[in-house]
Amino acid sequence: MTQDELKIEVAKAALKYVIPETIIGVGTGSTANFFIDQLATIKDSILGVVASSIATSNRLEGHGINLFDLNEVEEISVYIDGADESDQQLNLIKGGGGALTREKIVAAVSKQFVCIADESKLVKVMGNFPLPVEVIPMSSSYVKRQIIKSIGGVPVLREDFITDNGNLILDIHDLNIEEPQILENKLNNIVGVVTNGLFANRGADILLLGSESGVKTLVSN
Ligand code: 5RP
């Protein structure tokens, strides 16, 4: 199976976590896009969706799926999104597509977070995938220096990229993330950082992994 075929299988499997007559959250990226295409087949069973990016809003709209602004919504039953890496505890790195801040906000409001990915995303220790950090533009050099001084790794400004919030992304290479929650908090404490792509304080509750032998389900403790 190709990687895309694995993503489609996992996107189909996620449909069973969609709760009828509720508002759900949907993430960003190629796996989330496959999920949106599947969601279109049952769109009349839900009230609608809060999207984590402009790209996701556009795709949902293209399918005629009802959209909600997060400020109109008190509760999201389930958030379904991909990831760049997951460890065995379902801590995640997200933000390869640059939508990390809105993704983190929607995940925070959601009762359950179901992460969907192909099995190449499951790792023992995260950090092989560069960790994205969204920063206010005027702070990018300062944040870069602070990361080098107090965190480690090699922060690299993502070229020709502006987030949906009008900010920049620093991707931190060469990390070995043994304590994801501590690192998530440390990075968020640097002035100028909007948020970072570690989802450890609010990791996934369920990880659906597409594999050659079928979709595997991992549940957080
Ligand atoms: C976007 C994300 C995506 O979930 C992550 O990059 C995974 O993308 P894909 O499903 O294309 O592999 O965090 O900001």
Side-chain angles (χ1 to χ4, degrees):
M1 271 179 152
T2 64
Q3 204 178 17
D4 275 356
E5 284 166 339
L6 294 176
K7 288 179 181 182
I8 291 168
E9 286 312 302
V10 89
K12 284 183 187 162
L15 280 185
K16 81 165 189 217
Y17 294 90
V18 173
I19 302 168
E21 301 302 326
T22 66
I23 296 169
I24 73 163
V26 175
T28 301
S30 58
T31 320
N33 281 345
F34 287 128
F35 173 71
I36 293 168
D37 300 342
Q38 294 300 320
L39 185 66
T41 65
I42 59 159
K43 65 179 177 187
D44 295 330
S45 71
I46 56 167
L47 297 178
V49 173
V50 173
S52 69
S53 65
I54 294 168
T56 290
S57 292
N58 291 341
R59 197 174 185 97
L60 288 162
E61 237 166 18
H63 281 296
I65 297 172
N66 201 18
L67 285 172
F68 282 90
D69 181 304
L70 185 58
N71 284 321
E72 298 170 358
V73 167
E74 262 181 45
E75 191 178 281
I76 296 174
S77 59
V78 61
Y79 178 56
I80 298 178
D81 194 3
D84 299 302
E85 278 186 350
S86 172
D87 66 16
Q88 302 283 344
Q89 289 71 44
L90 312 196
N91 301 301
L92 310 172
I93 287 183
K94 293 187 44 54
L100 58 157
T101 300
R102 294 188 188 199
E103 292 174 338
K104 206 174 257 196
I105 293 168
V106 182
V109 179
S110 301
K111 283 177 87 175
Q112 189 176 45
F113 180 0
V114 177
C115 182
I116 52 177
D118 68 87
E119 67 180 346
S120 69
K121 305 286 181 77
L122 185 65
V123 297
K124 274 212 173 80
V125 178
M126 296 188 293
N128 195 34
F129 191 92
L131 175 64
V133 181
E134 180 164 350
V135 298
I136 300 288
M138 71 175 287
S139 73
S140 68
S141 298
Y142 169 74
V143 173
K144 206 169 162 179
R145 289 196 297 275
Q146 288 301 110
I147 290 171
I148 292 167
K149 199 167 104 184
S150 63
I151 306 276
V154 182
V156 177
L157 186 67
R158 199 178 289 187
E159 276 184 23
D160 302 322
F161 189 86
I162 295 179
T163 70
D164 285 354
N165 313 308
N167 297 317
L168 301 176
I169 299 271
L170 293 171
D171 290 303
I172 314 179
H173 295 249
D174 298 340
L175 287 173
N176 197 31
I177 306 175
E178 303 274 5
E179 294 178 309
Q181 207 168 345
I182 292 175
L183 180 58
E184 181 179 1
N185 294 339
K186 263 186 166 177
L187 280 166
N188 283 344
N189 268 338
I190 300 174
V191 174
V193 168
V194 178
T195 196
N196 69 84
L198 270 174
F199 284 55
N201 288 301
R202 205 283 181 255
D205 299 304
I206 292 173
L207 174 62
L208 300 178
L209 279 181
S211 78
E212 288 294 337
S213 53
V215 174
K216 295 175 187 165
T217 305
L218 277 71
V219 180
S220 162
N221 296 318

